[in-house]
Amino acid sequence: MTSLPSLPTPKKLGLVIDLDVCVGCHACVVNCKEWNTGGYGSALSDQDPYGAEASGAWLNRVHSFEVVPDGGEVVGEAGEARIVHFPKSCLHCEDAPCVTVCPTGASYKRADDGIVLVDEDMCIGCGLCAWACPYGAREMDLAAGVMKKCTLCIDRIYNETFEEADRQPACVRTCPANARHFGDLADPQSAVSVMVAERGGIDLMPEQGTRPVNKYLPPRARKPLAASANAMPREDTDGATGLFAWLDRMLDRI
Amino acid sequence: MHPALSIIAFTTLSGLGYGLAVMLGLGLLDPAAVATKIAWIAALAAIGGGLLSSTLHLGNPQRAWRAFSQWRSSWLSREGVMAVVTFVPLLMTAWACVIEGRQAVVPGLVGAVLSLCTVFCTAMIYASLKSVDAWHTRLTPACYLLFSLGGGAVAASFFAFCGGGNALWLPLVAIVALVGAWVVKRAWRQHLQATAPLSTPESATGLGAIGHVRLFERPHMTENYLTREMGFRIARKHAAKLWIIAMALGGVVPFVLFALLLAAGAQAGPGAALVAGLALASHVIGILAERWLFFAEARHAVMNYYGG
Ligand code: SF4
Ligand code: SF4
């Protein structure tokens, strides 16, 4: 059914991505493809994979942006511009436009945990859901002719044959910088909700009215490089005691 | 947005076919005339051909029947359902005309109304997408409906000049509908050019609080499904030229030709039919250009992540 659940889902499983921490290494991108090409549904195909025009279906991609404050200069490291690495995958929106446009019932939002999925056996590959998603979170698999998207690694998070630590989306599990967190954003006590409250987590494109579940933690305010330079330790022997105090006095006399 | 040929052909052909079906359903042509019978076959062929070409861009066309199931939420599904439902009264009316040489009044009227409903559903597929600013306006269905009526009236006039019936009223209807369609279309394009984008790189990344956001690096060096499907861009100068071509061929030429025919008091006959045929051909080419621009000029919100 492509009508959305009528009540808010009791759980809102999703990701919290810390833009202050992400170093843009693309490990989550690679592990996502690795896990999902062998898991749920058809493989994530590539076209011309070893050629000049390699392309393929990916469920998670890292963009990099340059942000320049008003009046800020762009002079390499000395300027005020900063680079923000920006991983992006499906945000499992509460008001998911990709679901309601689907003519076949292939796209749906789960009523119990809010995960947005595609039933590949029902998808006709019309591509309308990819048009409806403002975030570019859906990509057509050109080999299978069906729509692909992040499943929040539904085949990991509920997998009881896995160790507890591995019951996380592949991207979260692999992130070497710990920039990605997974949890229930409907529960205000959950670690992810606390993080969002403390750091002022934000929605992407709130004006699109999609009410994304995934949140992004904005980069912390940055200290200019010049300010850091001033903080070099000063020469100061006032607090010296014992042997060092004696040495200090003796050397001063010479 | 990428102007896919299959979708452009589909919306143009089916829009024209449904418009012609409206004129025929209303009984504006003489059901006993051979030209009217041919007009019915042409209308059904345009509709059917359009629908077939729309399945060409599907990844799995063999499952297309599933698209009839989600009419409660999806305009694409509604369009599919309406297309099938509309075929019933249209086939009945066409049968009455082609085989029995008479106008089936009630099925004709029902078919005319349902035809317009189907065109409306097609337009709403685009108009319902908030992610594409240019399309997300009531003017989109207004344009589709008016172009369908205009095209239908142009085609019906052609068949009238071929001997299908009243060659005075239909060209007049065509002229009025064409003027209306292009006035609304112009308003649509002004809306496209004048409105600020709903989403920006700042709102897309949430980094606007820090400053101005510019794409530094795309995720991959090469194109992907999203940039191919939604990253289509057309140079402003080309768009401006195409717009003029679309308006000239789709509006001005048929307008002038019909006005000339009316002024000359032309009756049905080979000469008048040739001129009206030219008007129809010109209109169709103009609408193809208009439809191409409808996609090519529309910008998708996802391009905020791709520096477009
Ligand atoms: S991010 Fe896109 S694909 Fe995911 S739920 Fe939202 S609209 Fe749908
Ligand atoms: S591509 Fe598949 S999932 Fe997306 S709208 Fe079409 S049928 Fe539904």
Side-chain angles (χ1 to χ4, degrees):
Chain A
M1 258 313 287
T2 57
S3 297
L4 291 166
S6 50
L7 295 170
T9 54
K11 279 186 175 183
K12 291 182 201 166
L13 297 186
L15 301 177
V16 171
I17 294 170
D18 193 338
L19 296 179
D20 198 58
V21 171
C22 174
V23 293
C25 69
H26 290 240
C28 55
V29 176
V30 175
N31 202 26
C32 167
K33 178 108 170 179
E34 170 67 21
W35 178 261
N36 286 296
T37 202
Y40 181 99
S42 64
L44 289 167
S45 72
D46 290 311
Q47 280 68 44
D48 193 17
Y50 304 106
E53 287 304 313
S55 85
W58 299 74
L59 312 182
N60 176 27
R61 293 181 185 263
V62 177
H63 302 238
S64 298
F65 293 97
E66 178 188 74
V67 194
V68 188
D70 273 344
E73 287 181 276
V74 187
V75 209
E77 282 288 287
E80 265 107 28
R82 60 191 290 179
I83 296 294
V84 178
H85 300 292
F86 191 94
K88 183 168 59 60
S89 51
C90 172
L91 310 167
H92 298 279
C93 304
E94 285 188 68
D95 217 334
C98 56
V99 169
T100 51
V101 298
C102 174
T104 61
S107 280
Y108 61 105
K109 184 170 176 74
R110 286 162 46 114
D112 39 355
D113 55 17
I115 299 180
V116 174
L117 291 178
V118 175
D119 179 340
E120 294 179 7
D121 293 332
M122 281 163 70
C123 174
I124 54 174
C126 67
L128 188 56
C129 53
W131 285 10
C133 169
Y135 306 103
R138 290 177 168 241
E139 299 190 15
M140 184 90 79
D141 188 291
L142 295 184
V146 294
M147 197 50 78
K148 291 299 216 170
K149 70 177 292 301
C150 159
T151 67
L152 219 53
C153 284
I154 196 151
D155 47 355
R156 295 177 62 99
I157 58 177
Y158 291 115
N159 196 332
E160 298 196 342
T161 63
F162 278 15
E163 309 252 339
E164 186 72 39
D166 284 326
R167 288 182 215 161
Q168 302 232 346
C171 58
V172 173
R173 190 74 183 96
T174 206
C175 176
N178 216 15
R180 308 177 68 98
H181 308 272
F182 163 72
D184 179 10
L185 287 136
D187 170 9
Q189 310 305 329
S190 68
V192 281
S193 297
V194 169
M195 219 179 292
V196 169
E198 281 175 358
R199 293 276 304 282
I202 44 165
D203 286 353
L204 304 185
M205 294 195 209
E207 67 280 3
Q208 294 276 347
T210 53
R211 296 195 294 139
V213 168
N214 286 12
K215 303 284 181 237
Y216 282 73
L217 306 181
R220 294 182 172 90
R222 194 177 70 170
K223 226 172 12 174
L225 280 183
S228 308
N230 288 342
M232 293 288 281
R234 278 184 304 118
E235 237 183 25
D236 182 8
T237 54
D238 284 353
T241 54
L243 176 65
F244 290 112
W246 178 80
L247 255 180
D248 182 39
R249 278 198 310 277
M250 295 318 277
L251 289 171
D252 272 349
R253 278 185 202 154
I254 300 173
Chain B
M1 302 291 293
H2 171 67
L5 233 50
S6 59
I7 306 188
I8 292 174
F10 155 61
T11 62
T12 307
L13 274 180
S14 69
L16 184 71
Y18 283 122
L20 181 54
V22 170
M23 304 297 150
L24 290 164
L26 293 178
L28 297 181
L29 287 175
D30 171 11
V34 178
T36 310
K37 298 180 198 288
I38 296 174
W40 264 114
I41 292 165
L44 293 177
I47 296 171
L51 290 176
L52 272 185
S53 97
S54 77
T55 61
L56 285 183
H57 86 286
L58 298 182
N60 279 288
Q62 77 283 6
R63 300 184 198 137
W65 59 272
R66 288 193 184 273
F68 299 125
S69 65
Q70 302 302 313
W71 48 270
R72 283 189 207 79
S73 73
S74 161
W75 282 105
L76 178 52
S77 183
R78 284 173 201 161
E79 181 206 38
V81 172
M82 285 306 296
V84 171
V85 171
T86 307
F87 254 106
V88 176
L90 288 188
L91 280 178
M92 285 166 69
T93 326
W95 177 275
C97 168
V98 175
I99 309 291
E100 300 164 11
R102 63 178 181 90
Q103 180 73 19
V105 178
V106 176
L109 291 179
V110 174
V113 172
L114 290 181
S115 293
L116 291 179
C117 290
T118 310
V119 173
F120 179 74
C121 289
T122 305
M124 284 309 291
I125 296 173
Y126 305 109
S128 67
L129 297 179
K130 204 169 180 179
S131 48
V132 184
D133 295 332
W135 296 349
H136 192 58
T137 155
R138 289 196 188 150
L139 293 173
T140 301
C143 288
Y144 270 77
L145 283 170
L146 284 168
F147 276 127
S148 175
L149 285 174
V154 170
S157 307
F158 164 69
F159 287 109
F161 282 115
C162 291
N166 190 324
L168 171 64
W169 283 109
L170 275 169
L172 269 181
V173 173
I175 284 178
V176 172
L178 283 179
V179 172
W182 282 101
V183 166
V184 176
K185 181 68 194 187
R186 193 151 170 271
W188 182 90
R189 196 154 183 271
Q190 273 166 351
H191 163 265
L192 172 151
Q193 289 168 333
T195 34
L198 176 63
S199 297
T200 59
E202 284 75 23
S203 74
T205 57
L207 298 173
I210 305 179
H212 176 72
V213 178
R214 189 178 70 87
L215 181 72
F216 184 70
E217 269 176 340
R218 283 186 173 195
H220 289 82
M221 292 155 67
T222 48
E223 298 291 315
N224 64 32
Y225 172 72
L226 298 167
T227 60
R228 278 190 297 259
E229 189 77 355
M230 290 165 242
F232 189 89
R233 289 179 78 178
I234 173 170
R236 271 188 115 82
K237 55 175 188 191
H238 294 319
K241 266 187 209 148
L242 256 178
W243 167 250
I244 292 175
I245 292 173
M247 232 180 358
L249 292 180
V252 178
V253 170
F255 179 101
V256 170
L257 291 180
F258 281 146
L260 285 176
L261 283 173
L262 286 177
Q267 296 297 313
L274 184 71
V275 176
L278 271 180
L280 175 58
S282 163
H283 175 75
V284 171
I285 296 172
I287 296 303
L288 284 172
E290 180 268 333
R291 252 349 102 80
W292 195 86
L293 273 179
F294 176 78
F295 290 92
E297 283 196 291
R299 181 181 178 274
H300 193 284
V302 73
M303 292 319 286
N304 288 313
Y305 295 109
Y306 283 92

